[in-house]
């Protein structure tokens, strides 16, 4: 009877473990990321919902679930190639998942910045799944290709929320574990570590400018840039364009095509709003996010920046405090006022098997005038709270498992019948 009870308990534990194995993290239910996912009790399928537009997708493998749903059904067994429609920003996420060689379609090849593209990539191919920002049917040779919308809006999302889209895309390829490790432990952990190091560094004001359609926009107060600047330990510039010269640093995100003659054109466009443009010439404090571009001059930061906020944050910190992690080199930012030139992804893009490599986070709080060094003992730069909780839960489960096994062995030993023993009188031994 006792053995039967332990067998029931063991099976229950295994069933619980299997039910939880397909639920990779609490991020699944965080609506602020713009999506949620729920798994069937037996993990045979999952429902992924784009919370921004309400579109949902039932993702399964081979055997279609016998459920009634208005969702788009996606069979992962049929996915062998990927298409991007108005969504080249998804390339960086898919690349981190090791799927870049499956991307065969893009409706705008001029804005692809990766140097790891498939030889089959074209604007005429027919993929087996399409990622898009719109719900329109794919207009290729096969109109039944499932179209999956991406909850992207950089202005209203924080840098970490943008990075979480790695999880969203992973659900359609059953790569949750790969995505979770890259997102939670590395990207988010390194980002948080650098953020904590800079909180008391002494805030400098940073303005973010964007010149588009012959008009200036201050992007500093968008959710993305406001959060990025604050997380770097700085203060977003809240003044008017006429007082832009009062900002300690200016980060321009305008398209490079807006200023054919570089910084001179930038000053000329600004002069009608801020009469003290000589300040920018003297302080050399104007930077751009187009250090890394493709052969047509399209900035890699537009595509890869949302997927790697850990690098974008370190770029901003390096702009203000170059002595913080002095070994770090800019990924996307360059000094525009000093005339630093852009470089092409063809020669400076990470090697195709190194896009998932992460920089180390310096140890300890940073003080201007001092220095910090990479923490070689922390590996990826320290774990985030979620990762630490995960480890703690794992340890607790392990301890409980050992305790249960110990009790089981003790009770088993207790109920065993000792074998017969032979006793001798003391005088018999003489």
């Amino acid at each position: 009877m006792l053995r039967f009870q332990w067998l029931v308990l063991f099976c229950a534990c295994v069933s619980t473990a299997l039910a939880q194995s397909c639920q990779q993290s609490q991020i699944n239910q965080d609506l602020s990321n713009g999506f949620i996912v729920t798994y069937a009790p037996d993990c045979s399928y999952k429902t992924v919902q784009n919370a921004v537009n309400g579109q949902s997708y039932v993702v399964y493998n081979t055997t279609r679930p016998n459920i009634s749903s208005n969702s788009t059904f996606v069979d992962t067994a049929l996915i062998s190639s990927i298409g991007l429609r108005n969504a080249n920003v998804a390339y960086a996420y898919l690349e981190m998942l090791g799927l870049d060689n499956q991307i065969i379609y893009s409706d705008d090849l001029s804005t692809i910045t990766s140097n790891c593209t498939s030889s089959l990539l074209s604007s005429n191919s027919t993929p087996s799944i399409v990622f898009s920002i719109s719900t329109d049917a794919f207009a290729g040779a096969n109109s039944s290709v499932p179209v999956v919308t991406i909850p992207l809006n950089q202005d209203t999302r924080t840098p970490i929320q943008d990075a979480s889209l790695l999880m969203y895309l992973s659900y359609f390829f059953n790569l949750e574990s790969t995505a979770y490790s890259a997102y939670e432990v590395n990207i988010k952990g390194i980002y948080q570590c650098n953020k904590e190091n800079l909180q008391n560094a002494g805030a400098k004001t940073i303005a973010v400018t964007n010149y588009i359609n012959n008009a200036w926009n201050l992007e500093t107060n968008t959710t993305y840039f406001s959060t990025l600047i604050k997380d770097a330990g700085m203060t977003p510039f809240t003044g008017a364009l006429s007082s832009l010269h009062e900002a300690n640093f200016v980060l321009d995100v305008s398209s490079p095509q807006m200023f054919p003659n570089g910084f001179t054109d930038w000053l000329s466009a600004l002069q009608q709003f801020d009469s003290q443009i000589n300040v920018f010439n003297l302080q050399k404090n104007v930077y751009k996010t187009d250090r890394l571009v493709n052969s047509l001059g399209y900035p890699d930061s537009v595509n890869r920046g949302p997927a790697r906020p850990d690098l974008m944050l370190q770029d901003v910190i390096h702009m203000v405090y170059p002595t913080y992690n002095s070994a770090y080199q800019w990924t996307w930012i360059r000094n525009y006022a000093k005339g630093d030139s852009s470089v092409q992804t063809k020669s400076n893009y990470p090697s195709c098997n190194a896009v998932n490599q992460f920089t180390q986070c310096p140890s300890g709080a940073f003080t201007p005038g001092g220095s910090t060094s990479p923490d070689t003992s922390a590996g990826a730069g320290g774990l985030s709270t979620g990762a630490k909780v995960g480890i703690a839960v794992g340890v607790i489960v392990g301890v409980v498992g050992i305790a249960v096994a110990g009790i089981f062995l003790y009770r088993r030993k207790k109920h065993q019948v000792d074998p017969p023993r032979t006793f001798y009188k003391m005088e018999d031994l003489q």
Side-chain angles (χ1 to χ4, degrees), residues 191-313:
Y191 186 100
Q192 185 66 25
C193 175
N194 284 296
K195 173 185 174 181
E196 292 174 356
N197 286 348
L198 270 292
Q199 288 311 292
N200 299 312
K204 301 288 186 179
T205 56
I206 299 178
V208 181
T209 58
N210 188 7
Y211 189 68
I212 185 171
N213 296 327
N214 297 318
W216 284 100
N217 295 298
L218 283 173
E219 307 281 351
T220 316
N221 291 325
T222 61
T223 301
Y224 179 87
F225 282 112
S226 176
T227 304
L228 182 70
I229 293 170
K230 291 176 182 177
D231 288 348
M234 317 302 169
T235 301
F237 174 76
T238 57
L241 197 61
S242 59
S243 59
L244 186 65
H245 63 276
E246 296 177 0
N248 296 125
F249 294 87
V250 176
L251 184 61
D252 187 78
V253 296
S254 309
S255 169
Q257 284 71 33
M258 292 292 99
F259 310 115
N261 297 310
F263 186 55
T264 301
D265 283 356
W266 187 89
L267 290 173
S268 298
L270 182 64
Q271 188 171 18
Q272 58 180 312
F273 299 98
D274 190 339
S275 60
Q276 300 189 46
I277 60 171
N278 61 307
V279 173
F280 302 112
N281 262 323
L282 292 173
Q283 297 185 355
K284 304 296 183 185
N285 61 345
V286 180
Y287 296 75
K288 279 189 72 66
T289 55
D290 63 349
R291 175 186 172 273
L292 197 57
V293 297
N294 67 8
S295 59
L296 299 176
Y298 191 81
D300 180 63
S301 60
V302 176
N303 283 347
R304 207 153 52 98
R308 294 299 302 273
D310 56 313
L311 295 178
M312 187 61 79
L313 183 72

Side-chain angles (χ1 to χ4, degrees), residues 78-285:
L78 300 179
I79 298 177
S80 59
S81 57
I82 304 167
L84 305 176
R85 186 180 65 192
N86 295 322
N88 282 348
V89 68
Y91 199 108
Y93 299 98
L94 296 169
E95 190 173 59
M96 292 178 66
L97 294 172
L99 300 171
D100 45 288
N101 61 337
Q102 294 186 31
I103 304 174
I104 66 168
Y105 172 85
S106 171
D107 61 348
D108 187 2
L109 298 177
S110 66
T111 60
I112 293 287
T113 58
S114 173
N115 199 37
C116 306
T117 56
S118 166
S119 59
L120 300 176
L121 180 63
S122 75
S123 57
N124 298 314
S125 304
T126 300
S128 50
I129 189 171
V130 172
F131 292 101
S132 175
I133 60 173
S134 66
T135 59
D136 301 333
F138 181 63
N142 184 359
S143 59
S144 64
V145 172
V147 175
V148 175
T149 58
I150 305 175
L152 258 182
N153 188 329
Q154 190 173 10
D155 289 342
T156 60
R157 295 170 61 86
T158 67
I160 291 299
Q161 287 172 346
D162 269 354
S164 72
L165 294 178
L166 181 66
M167 292 296 303
Y168 179 79
L169 292 170
S170 74
Y171 299 137
F172 298 92
F173 304 94
N174 298 322
L175 291 173
E176 289 95 325
S177 295
T178 299
Y180 184 79
S181 176
Y183 167 76
E184 183 70 29
V185 178
N186 292 301
I187 295 176
K188 192 175 178 181
I190 294 171
Y191 186 100
Q192 185 66 25
C193 175
N194 284 296
K195 173 185 174 181
E196 292 174 356
N197 286 348
L198 270 292
Q199 288 311 292
N200 299 312
K204 301 288 186 179
T205 56
I206 299 178
V208 181
T209 58
N210 188 7
Y211 189 68
I212 185 171
N213 296 327
N214 297 318
W216 284 100
N217 295 298
L218 283 173
E219 307 281 351
T220 316
N221 291 325
T222 61
T223 301
Y224 179 87
F225 282 112
S226 176
T227 304
L228 182 70
I229 293 170
K230 291 176 182 177
D231 288 348
M234 317 302 169
T235 301
F237 174 76
T238 57
L241 197 61
S242 59
S243 59
L244 186 65
H245 63 276
E246 296 177 0
N248 296 125
F249 294 87
V250 176
L251 184 61
D252 187 78
V253 296
S254 309
S255 169
Q257 284 71 33
M258 292 292 99
F259 310 115
N261 297 310
F263 186 55
T264 301
D265 283 356
W266 187 89
L267 290 173
S268 298
L270 182 64
Q271 188 171 18
Q272 58 180 312
F273 299 98
D274 190 339
S275 60
Q276 300 189 46
I277 60 171
N278 61 307
V279 173
F280 302 112
N281 262 323
L282 292 173
Q283 297 185 355
K284 304 296 183 185
N285 61 345

